[in-house]
Amino acid sequence: MRELLKFLTLRRLERPSLRRRGTPVWNSCAAIVVAVAAVIGGSIANAVPAQAAGPTPAFKNEVLTAHNKVRAQYGAPPLTWSDALYPGTLQWASTYKFQHSNSGGKYGENLYFYNGLDTAGAIKKALASWMAESSKDNYNNPVFSGATGHFTQVAWKSTKQVTAAAVNCRKGTISGTSATVYVVARYSPAGNFQGQFEQNVGRPV
């Protein structure tokens, strides 16, 4: 498998006409690997959480600085760190499943992984991938798109808090050919609510 960056986009399973205002688009969705299909499998014994002892102040700062820098480019206010969301985020990352959790609309979630074991700069790499979707956003038709769902969640103006976890996964867990770094980011309140894109996803400023 070529060493490409992998990421997920989300698509709503129900027809657009069935979407209700105030219903999070994250619910009832199918995960689709855009770049290269990920090989999911392995066991817990084959992966090692990078932050089992909790996030360091430096990691929190990296997450907030990186997010707030790109949010400001779209007129979104800065985020604060969510201690409440972190344990569940790390727990989900430590299952080594490259798929979305069942949030029940309680939080938004972005996923990303890349080959290697170096977690340095993991958040910046993830955000670079997610924000690359902004070039596909149609500001004249502000609705959810599976091609831009990561970007719109990051830039969602009503979101107030973020947390993230990065774990090391050995070969045979997320990827069958390489060790990887797996990033899970969660957002509160969740973004990507149908009918609320126009007021929550700004144009570049």
Side-chain angles (χ1 to χ4, degrees):
M1 183 183 296
R2 295 171 57 191
E3 292 191 2
L4 296 177
L5 303 181
K6 292 89 172 176
F7 55 97
L8 294 177
T9 58
L10 303 175
R11 295 186 186 277
R12 182 76 168 168
L13 292 182
E14 61 188 56
R15 296 178 181 178
S17 60
L18 297 178
R19 296 174 183 170
R20 296 180 297 171
R21 183 178 182 85
T23 301
V25 179
W26 296 116
N27 292 344
S28 305
C29 56
I32 302 172
V33 178
V34 174
V36 177
V39 179
I40 309 298
S43 64
I44 291 179
N46 287 329
V48 179
Q51 302 160 35
T56 64
F59 181 76
K60 290 182 180 181
N61 184 66
E62 179 185 357
V63 172
L64 291 176
T65 299
H67 274 85
N68 291 336
K69 179 179 180 180
V70 296
R71 282 173 62 84
Q73 296 170 7
Y74 293 87
L79 301 176
T80 60
W81 177 268
S82 173
D83 287 320
L85 284 177
Y86 180 76
T89 303
L90 178 60
Q91 182 180 28
W92 184 253
S94 300
T95 66
Y96 322 114
K97 296 178 180 178
F98 192 52
Q99 63 189 52
H100 283 280
S101 60
N102 182 12
S103 71
K106 296 179 180 178
Y107 52 80
E109 185 175 73
N110 280 355
L111 310 178
Y112 175 80
F113 77 92
Y114 59 90
N115 292 340
L117 282 173
D118 186 2
T119 58
I123 297 301
K124 291 182 180 179
K125 292 176 183 177
L127 275 167
S129 175
W130 299 334
M131 296 305 293
E133 298 173 357
S134 64
S135 63
K136 304 174 185 177
D137 197 53
N138 184 354
Y139 299 100
N140 296 318
N141 183 30
V143 296
F144 177 77
S145 167
T148 59
H150 297 102
F151 155 66
T152 52
Q153 171 59 86
V154 172
W156 199 260
K157 292 181 179 180
S158 295
T159 294
K160 305 298 183 185
Q161 291 193 302
V162 63
T163 197
V167 299
N168 295 129
C169 304
R170 296 192 181 94
K171 176 182 176 181
T173 52
I174 287 183
S175 171
T177 60
S178 175
T180 59
V181 174
Y182 181 27
V183 178
V184 179
R186 289 183 178 176
Y187 305 85
S188 178
N192 287 343
F193 278 82
Q194 190 61 30
Q196 298 181 18
F197 280 79
E198 185 171 6
Q199 64 265 41
N200 277 289
V201 182
R203 295 174 182 265
V205 297

